[in-house]
Short mmCIF file of all heavy atoms in Angstrom, two decimals:
data_model
loop_
_atom_site.label_atom_id
_atom_site.label_comp_id
_atom_site.label_asym_id
_atom_site.label_seq_id
_atom_site.Cartn_x
_atom_site.Cartn_y
_atom_site.Cartn_z
N MET B 420 -76.54 -36.83 -129.68
CA MET B 420 -75.98 -38.18 -129.70
C MET B 420 -75.61 -38.63 -128.29
O MET B 420 -75.82 -39.77 -127.90
CB MET B 420 -74.72 -38.24 -130.58
CG MET B 420 -74.93 -37.89 -132.01
SD MET B 420 -76.43 -38.58 -132.65
CE MET B 420 -76.02 -40.29 -132.60
N ALA B 421 -75.04 -37.71 -127.53
CA ALA B 421 -74.66 -38.05 -126.16
C ALA B 421 -75.90 -38.43 -125.35
O ALA B 421 -75.89 -39.41 -124.59
CB ALA B 421 -73.94 -36.86 -125.51
N LEU B 422 -76.97 -37.68 -125.54
CA LEU B 422 -78.20 -37.93 -124.79
C LEU B 422 -78.78 -39.30 -125.15
O LEU B 422 -79.19 -40.07 -124.28
CB LEU B 422 -79.21 -36.83 -125.12
CG LEU B 422 -80.41 -36.66 -124.19
CD1 LEU B 422 -79.92 -36.54 -122.75
CD2 LEU B 422 -81.19 -35.42 -124.58
N VAL B 423 -78.78 -39.62 -126.45
CA VAL B 423 -79.29 -40.93 -126.87
C VAL B 423 -78.41 -42.04 -126.28
O VAL B 423 -78.91 -43.03 -125.74
CB VAL B 423 -79.32 -41.05 -128.41
CG1 VAL B 423 -79.58 -42.47 -128.84
CG2 VAL B 423 -80.39 -40.13 -128.96
N TYR B 424 -77.11 -41.82 -126.34
CA TYR B 424 -76.19 -42.82 -125.84
C TYR B 424 -76.44 -43.11 -124.36
O TYR B 424 -76.53 -44.25 -123.93
CB TYR B 424 -74.75 -42.35 -126.05
CG TYR B 424 -73.72 -43.39 -125.70
CD1 TYR B 424 -73.29 -44.29 -126.67
CD2 TYR B 424 -73.20 -43.51 -124.42
CE1 TYR B 424 -72.37 -45.26 -126.37
CE2 TYR B 424 -72.28 -44.49 -124.11
CZ TYR B 424 -71.87 -45.36 -125.10
OH TYR B 424 -70.96 -46.34 -124.79
N VAL B 425 -76.59 -42.04 -123.60
CA VAL B 425 -76.80 -42.20 -122.17
C VAL B 425 -78.15 -42.85 -121.88
O VAL B 425 -78.26 -43.75 -121.05
CB VAL B 425 -76.71 -40.83 -121.47
CG1 VAL B 425 -77.15 -40.94 -120.02
CG2 VAL B 425 -75.30 -40.30 -121.54
N SER B 426 -79.19 -42.41 -122.61
CA SER B 426 -80.53 -42.85 -122.21
C SER B 426 -80.84 -44.27 -122.64
O SER B 426 -81.73 -44.89 -122.07
CB SER B 426 -81.58 -41.88 -122.74
OG SER B 426 -81.47 -41.76 -124.11
N THR B 427 -80.13 -44.83 -123.64
CA THR B 427 -80.42 -46.22 -123.96
C THR B 427 -79.90 -47.15 -122.88
O THR B 427 -80.43 -48.24 -122.69
CB THR B 427 -79.77 -46.66 -125.29
OG1 THR B 427 -78.39 -46.33 -125.23
CG2 THR B 427 -80.42 -46.00 -126.47
N GLY B 428 -78.86 -46.73 -122.17
CA GLY B 428 -78.32 -47.57 -121.12
C GLY B 428 -77.48 -48.71 -121.65
O GLY B 428 -76.73 -49.33 -120.91
N THR B 429 -77.60 -49.01 -122.95
CA THR B 429 -76.81 -50.09 -123.53
C THR B 429 -75.97 -49.59 -124.69
O THR B 429 -75.62 -50.35 -125.57
CB THR B 429 -77.71 -51.22 -124.05
OG1 THR B 429 -78.68 -50.65 -124.92
CG2 THR B 429 -78.40 -51.96 -122.94
N GLY B 430 -75.67 -48.30 -124.69
CA GLY B 430 -74.92 -47.77 -125.80
C GLY B 430 -75.76 -47.79 -127.06
O GLY B 430 -76.97 -47.61 -127.01
N PHE B 431 -75.13 -48.04 -128.20
CA PHE B 431 -75.85 -47.98 -129.46
C PHE B 431 -76.24 -49.37 -129.95
O PHE B 431 -76.57 -49.56 -131.10
CB PHE B 431 -74.99 -47.30 -130.52
CG PHE B 431 -74.77 -45.85 -130.26
CD1 PHE B 431 -73.50 -45.35 -130.02
CD2 PHE B 431 -75.84 -44.98 -130.24
CE1 PHE B 431 -73.30 -44.01 -129.78
CE2 PHE B 431 -75.64 -43.63 -130.00
CZ PHE B 431 -74.37 -43.15 -129.76
N ARG B 432 -76.17 -50.38 -129.09
CA ARG B 432 -76.29 -51.74 -129.62
C ARG B 432 -77.73 -52.22 -129.80
O ARG B 432 -78.02 -52.97 -130.70
CB ARG B 432 -75.54 -52.71 -128.72
CG ARG B 432 -74.24 -53.15 -129.34
CD ARG B 432 -73.32 -53.71 -128.29
NE ARG B 432 -72.86 -52.66 -127.40
CZ ARG B 432 -72.48 -52.88 -126.15
NH1 ARG B 432 -72.53 -54.08 -125.65
NH2 ARG B 432 -72.05 -51.89 -125.42
N ASN B 433 -78.63 -51.81 -128.92
CA ASN B 433 -79.99 -52.34 -129.00
C ASN B 433 -80.84 -51.51 -129.95
O ASN B 433 -81.15 -50.35 -129.66
CB ASN B 433 -80.59 -52.34 -127.60
CG ASN B 433 -81.95 -52.97 -127.56
OD1 ASN B 433 -82.73 -52.80 -128.48
ND2 ASN B 433 -82.23 -53.71 -126.51
N PRO B 434 -81.20 -52.07 -131.11
CA PRO B 434 -81.90 -51.28 -132.13
C PRO B 434 -83.19 -50.64 -131.62
O PRO B 434 -83.44 -49.46 -131.86
CB PRO B 434 -82.22 -52.29 -133.22
CG PRO B 434 -81.50 -53.53 -132.89
CD PRO B 434 -81.02 -53.47 -131.49
N ALA B 435 -84.01 -51.42 -130.90
CA ALA B 435 -85.30 -50.89 -130.47
C ALA B 435 -85.13 -49.70 -129.54
O ALA B 435 -85.75 -48.66 -129.72
CB ALA B 435 -86.10 -51.99 -129.80
N ARG B 436 -84.26 -49.86 -128.56
CA ARG B 436 -84.04 -48.76 -127.61
C ARG B 436 -83.49 -47.53 -128.30
O ARG B 436 -83.86 -46.41 -128.01
CB ARG B 436 -83.04 -49.20 -126.55
CG ARG B 436 -83.60 -50.21 -125.61
CD ARG B 436 -82.58 -50.50 -124.56
NE ARG B 436 -83.04 -51.54 -123.67
CZ ARG B 436 -82.61 -51.70 -122.44
NH1 ARG B 436 -81.71 -50.87 -121.96
NH2 ARG B 436 -83.07 -52.66 -121.70
N LEU B 437 -82.58 -47.81 -129.24
CA LEU B 437 -81.96 -46.73 -129.99
C LEU B 437 -83.02 -45.88 -130.67
O LEU B 437 -83.01 -44.65 -130.58
CB LEU B 437 -81.06 -47.37 -131.04
CG LEU B 437 -79.93 -46.57 -131.62
CD1 LEU B 437 -78.94 -46.23 -130.54
CD2 LEU B 437 -79.25 -47.39 -132.71
N VAL B 438 -83.95 -46.56 -131.31
CA VAL B 438 -84.97 -45.84 -132.07
C VAL B 438 -85.90 -45.07 -131.14
O VAL B 438 -86.20 -43.90 -131.37
CB VAL B 438 -85.76 -46.82 -132.95
CG1 VAL B 438 -86.94 -46.13 -133.58
CG2 VAL B 438 -84.86 -47.41 -134.01
N VAL B 439 -86.32 -45.72 -130.06
CA VAL B 439 -87.25 -45.04 -129.16
C VAL B 439 -86.57 -43.86 -128.46
O VAL B 439 -87.14 -42.77 -128.35
CB VAL B 439 -87.82 -46.03 -128.13
CG1 VAL B 439 -88.75 -45.32 -127.18
CG2 VAL B 439 -88.54 -47.15 -128.83
N ALA B 440 -85.33 -44.06 -128.02
CA ALA B 440 -84.59 -42.95 -127.42
C ALA B 440 -84.43 -41.83 -128.43
O ALA B 440 -84.56 -40.64 -128.10
CB ALA B 440 -83.23 -43.42 -126.92
N GLY B 441 -84.16 -42.21 -129.68
CA GLY B 441 -84.03 -41.21 -130.74
C GLY B 441 -85.30 -40.39 -130.90
O GLY B 441 -85.25 -39.18 -131.10
N ILE B 442 -86.44 -41.07 -130.79
CA ILE B 442 -87.72 -40.36 -130.91
C ILE B 442 -87.86 -39.33 -129.78
O ILE B 442 -88.27 -38.19 -130.01
CB ILE B 442 -88.89 -41.37 -130.88
CG1 ILE B 442 -88.92 -42.15 -132.20
CG2 ILE B 442 -90.22 -40.66 -130.67
CD1 ILE B 442 -89.87 -43.32 -132.18
N GLY B 443 -87.47 -39.73 -128.58
CA GLY B 443 -87.55 -38.80 -127.46
C GLY B 443 -86.65 -37.60 -127.65
O GLY B 443 -87.08 -36.45 -127.50
N VAL B 444 -85.40 -37.86 -128.03
CA VAL B 444 -84.47 -36.76 -128.24
C VAL B 444 -84.93 -35.88 -129.39
O VAL B 444 -84.88 -34.64 -129.32
CB VAL B 444 -83.05 -37.31 -128.51
CG1 VAL B 444 -82.12 -36.21 -128.96
CG2 VAL B 444 -82.51 -37.97 -127.25
N ALA B 445 -85.43 -36.52 -130.45
CA ALA B 445 -85.92 -35.75 -131.60
C ALA B 445 -87.08 -34.85 -131.19
O ALA B 445 -87.23 -33.74 -131.70
CB ALA B 445 -86.34 -36.69 -132.72
N ALA B 446 -87.92 -35.34 -130.25
CA ALA B 446 -89.06 -34.53 -129.83
C ALA B 446 -88.60 -33.26 -129.12
O ALA B 446 -89.14 -32.18 -129.34
CB ALA B 446 -89.97 -35.34 -128.91
N ILE B 447 -87.58 -33.39 -128.27
CA ILE B 447 -87.05 -32.20 -127.60
C ILE B 447 -86.49 -31.23 -128.63
O ILE B 447 -86.78 -30.03 -128.62
CB ILE B 447 -85.95 -32.58 -126.59
CG1 ILE B 447 -86.48 -33.57 -125.55
CG2 ILE B 447 -85.41 -31.33 -125.91
CD1 ILE B 447 -85.43 -33.99 -124.55
N GLY B 448 -85.68 -31.78 -129.55
CA GLY B 448 -85.07 -30.95 -130.58
C GLY B 448 -86.12 -30.22 -131.41
O GLY B 448 -86.02 -29.01 -131.64
N ALA B 449 -87.15 -30.96 -131.82
CA ALA B 449 -88.19 -30.36 -132.66
C ALA B 449 -88.93 -29.26 -131.89
O ALA B 449 -89.24 -28.21 -132.45
CB ALA B 449 -89.17 -31.43 -133.12
N ALA B 450 -89.20 -29.51 -130.60
CA ALA B 450 -89.91 -28.50 -129.81
C ALA B 450 -89.11 -27.21 -129.74
O ALA B 450 -89.64 -26.11 -129.91
CB ALA B 450 -90.19 -29.03 -128.40
N ILE B 451 -87.79 -27.35 -129.52
CA ILE B 451 -86.95 -26.15 -129.46
C ILE B 451 -86.99 -25.41 -130.79
O ILE B 451 -87.21 -24.19 -130.86
CB ILE B 451 -85.49 -26.53 -129.10
CG1 ILE B 451 -85.44 -27.11 -127.69
CG2 ILE B 451 -84.58 -25.32 -129.23
CD1 ILE B 451 -84.08 -27.66 -127.31
N THR B 452 -86.76 -26.16 -131.88
CA THR B 452 -86.73 -25.53 -133.20
C THR B 452 -88.04 -24.83 -133.51
O THR B 452 -88.06 -23.70 -133.98
CB THR B 452 -86.42 -26.58 -134.28
OG1 THR B 452 -85.29 -27.33 -133.87
CG2 THR B 452 -86.14 -25.93 -135.61
N GLN B 453 -89.16 -25.52 -133.23
CA GLN B 453 -90.46 -24.93 -133.54
C GLN B 453 -90.69 -23.65 -132.74
O GLN B 453 -91.23 -22.67 -133.25
CB GLN B 453 -91.57 -25.92 -133.23
CG GLN B 453 -91.71 -26.97 -134.31
CD GLN B 453 -92.54 -28.14 -133.86
OE1 GLN B 453 -93.03 -28.18 -132.74
NE2 GLN B 453 -92.69 -29.11 -134.72
#
Side-chain angles (χ1 to χ4, degrees):
Chain B
M420 299 319 292
L422 196 52
V423 169
Y424 186 89
V425 170
S426 56
T427 52
T429 52
F431 292 117
R432 255 161 291 154
N433 185 322
R436 289 184 184 204
L437 202 63
V438 172
V439 179
I442 288 170
V444 170
I447 302 179
I451 294 174
T452 310
Q453 282 165 1

